[in-house]
Amino acid sequence: MKLCVSGLAATVLVFAHTAAANSQQIFARGEGDFSWDSLDQFEADHDYSGESITVFGPWLGADADAAEAVFAYFEEATGATVQHTGSDSFEQQIMIDSEAGSLPNIAIFPQPGLACDLAGRGFLVPLGPETGDWLEETYAAGSSWVSLGTCAGSDGAENVFGLAYNVNLKSLVWYSPENFDDFEYGVPESMEELKALTDQIVDDGETPWCIGLGSGGATGWPATDWVEDLLLRTSPPSVYDQWVTNEIAFDDPAIVAAIEEFGHFARTDAYVAGGASGVAATDFRDSPNGLFSSPPQCFMHRQASFVPAFFPDDVEVGVDVDFFYFPSYDSADLGDPVVGAGTLVTIGQDSPAARGFIEFLKTPLAHEIWMAIEGGGFLTPHSGANTDVYSDEIKKAQGEILLNATTFRFDGSDLMPGAIGAGAFWTGMIDYVGGKEAADVAGEIQRAWDALK
C-alpha cells in the first residue's frame, strides 16, 4: 500500500527509544529453531562496548517494538547501545537532517528513490562492494536486490548504498477455498490458466473478480500495482527499470500493452463485480468483502499481503480465505517475478558500530526474530533464514513466494517522481477504467512527465 504525503502533518508522531531499555529479547538465546550460531559468530567478531549508534526510520507502534526486539540482540552481542527513533514524517525529517549535517548513523528509507537522491548529493556512505557480493549470494533473486540498493554517488560512480530489510509482497491473489471447492476450481499456476479460470467462472454464471480503486485522495493507486505486475509478466525486467526512470516513454508500446492487460480484467463487465463502471467507485478497502458474501459477489481479489487488515473481523486467514501467487505467463518465459516494497537500511554517519550494525542485519538471526513475532508483517528474501520460524503458515507461504521469485522489483510508482507515480499515473488509471484508450492515457502521463523537465 502506498503512503501519500500531501504536506507536513499538523502533528508529527516521533518516538525515540533506547532499545536496551524499552525492548527485551523476546526469545531466549538458545531456544527454538533460530540460527543462534550466526549470532555467536557475529558476537565473536564484533565488540563495540561503550559505543552508541542512532537509528532513524519510519517504524512506529508494533513495528518499532519488533525492530527494537531485534536490535536488543545486537546490543547484547556487541556491547553497543542503539537509540532508535521512528517518525511518520521520515521523508521530510531526513531531508532536514541532511541539510543540517545531523544525519543518524543508520537511516532506514521506505522510498529507494529518496535514498538515491541523498546518496547522489553525498549525504550517504557506500556500504562497499562486499555488501553487493553478499546480496548476490544470499538473497533470492540476488541481482534484483543489488540493483535496488545501488545508487550513483556524488562523484557519479555507482555503489551499493542500501541493504533491503523488512519486505512486503504485492503479487498475490486472494480467494475463498470454500467457494473454489464448491465449484471444483483449481488454483491456477500460470497466467494462461488464470485467464481460463476467469472465463470458466463467467460461463458458470458467476463473477470472477472484485476490483476497487477508490482510496480518497489516492484513488487509482491499486491499478498501478496491477500494471506493474503485468509489465513484469509481459516484458523483461530491464523494460520495467527503464520505465520507472523514464528512459523509455510511458506511452511505449510495452507499457501500453501492460495497461491493456489490466483492462482485460478490469474493463470487461462480466469479469468484475459491479461491472467495469464500478471499479473506480469501489473503495479498495471494501473491495475484498465480495469474497465473503453469500452468495459470493466474486471469486478472486488481487491485492498485497497487507489486505487481511480490511477483511471482516470473523474471517480467518488460512481457513475462510487463502491466496496464491499472481502467476506469470508460461508462454513468455520471464520466470516468476514479484512486485513488492520494503525498507532500505543505509549509513548516514559512518562509525565502526554502524558498519557492524549492517553486518548484524546480514545474519539469519536478525531476520528470524522479526519473522517469528506474532502479527508482524515481516518477510525476507534471506535464503539462510529458517522459514519454519515464521509466526504462522500464511507468512511462511508468502515468504516462500518471495524466496522462489526469479525477479523482485520495488513498487514502480513509488520509484517515479511524486507528480507521476502519486499523481498522473493514478488519475490516468481512473480515466482508463472510465473508457479512455490506453495509448491516450499513457500519452497524457508522458506529457505530464515531460513537463517536469
Side-chain angles (χ1 to χ4, degrees), residues 17-340:
H17 295 136
T18 299
N22 291 281
S23 63
Q24 300 176 349
Q25 295 181 6
I26 56 177
F27 303 105
R29 195 162 178 168
E31 289 185 357
D33 294 327
F34 299 100
S35 300
W36 296 113
D37 56 336
S38 69
L39 182 65
D40 294 340
Q41 183 61 56
F42 176 80
E43 182 175 47
D45 296 339
H46 300 84
D47 183 359
Y48 306 117
S49 298
E51 296 188 40
S52 178
I53 62 170
T54 52
V55 177
F56 180 43
W59 297 325
L60 295 167
D63 283 341
D65 291 342
E68 290 165 11
V70 174
F71 301 164
Y73 294 90
F74 171 79
E75 292 182 309
E76 181 195 44
T78 65
T81 299
V82 177
Q83 296 192 353
H84 170 241
T85 302
S87 172
D88 66 351
S89 292
F90 169 84
E91 292 85 353
Q92 291 86 0
Q93 190 60 48
I94 200 69
M95 295 296 292
I96 294 169
D97 292 347
S98 298
E99 298 291 349
S102 57
L103 280 170
N105 295 112
I106 302 293
I108 301 171
F109 288 83
Q111 294 178 326
L114 179 58
C116 281
D117 178 56
L118 294 186
R121 297 168 63 189
F123 290 126
L124 301 182
V125 181
L127 301 185
E130 64 277 7
T131 294
D133 293 341
W134 181 87
L135 287 167
E136 188 76 53
E137 296 168 1
T138 310
Y139 274 16
S143 59
S144 298
W145 303 100
V146 175
S147 297
L148 182 63
T150 297
C151 309
S154 57
D155 60 357
E158 291 197 338
N159 286 286
V160 174
F161 282 87
L163 173 71
Y165 179 78
N166 190 6
V167 176
N168 61 57
L169 187 61
K170 293 177 177 282
S171 306
L172 302 174
V173 178
W174 298 83
Y175 71 103
S176 164
E178 181 179 355
N179 292 341
F180 267 45
D181 289 345
D182 286 346
F183 284 80
E184 298 182 349
Y185 297 147
V187 170
E189 296 184 359
S190 68
M191 186 60 71
E192 289 91 346
E193 290 184 7
L194 180 61
K195 286 187 171 182
L197 174 60
T198 295
D199 288 331
Q200 181 62 55
I201 293 171
V202 172
D203 289 344
D204 291 338
E206 304 292 334
T207 303
W209 293 93
C210 280
I211 303 174
L213 306 187
S215 186
T219 291
W221 73 257
T224 70
D225 286 355
W226 274 87
V227 173
E228 291 153 9
D229 249 336
L230 289 164
L231 180 58
L232 286 174
R233 284 153 179 75
T234 54
S235 295
S238 59
V239 173
Y240 188 99
D241 297 337
Q242 293 171 314
W243 171 55
V244 300
T245 59
N246 207 217
E247 292 177 57
I248 64 171
F250 216 106
D251 53 358
D252 182 272
I255 312 307
V256 173
I259 295 172
E260 289 174 340
E261 281 289 279
F262 167 58
H264 173 82
F265 297 98
R267 297 215 321 183
T268 303
D269 283 333
Y271 283 177
V272 62
S277 62
V279 169
T282 302
D283 193 283
F284 85 95
R285 288 156 286 215
D286 298 330
S287 184
N289 290 340
L291 298 172
F292 313 114
S293 62
S294 182
Q297 296 175 13
C298 62
F299 281 70
M300 293 177 287
H301 180 73
R302 187 223 155 274
Q303 191 50 276
S305 54
F306 66 77
V307 76
F310 304 110
F311 292 163
D313 291 340
D314 60 348
V315 168
E316 183 178 351
V317 178
V319 177
D320 303 307
V321 66
D322 208 338
F323 61 87
F324 57 86
Y325 167 66
F326 187 58
S328 54
Y329 282 96
D330 280 343
S331 58
D333 195 26
L334 291 169
D336 293 317
V338 298
V339 174

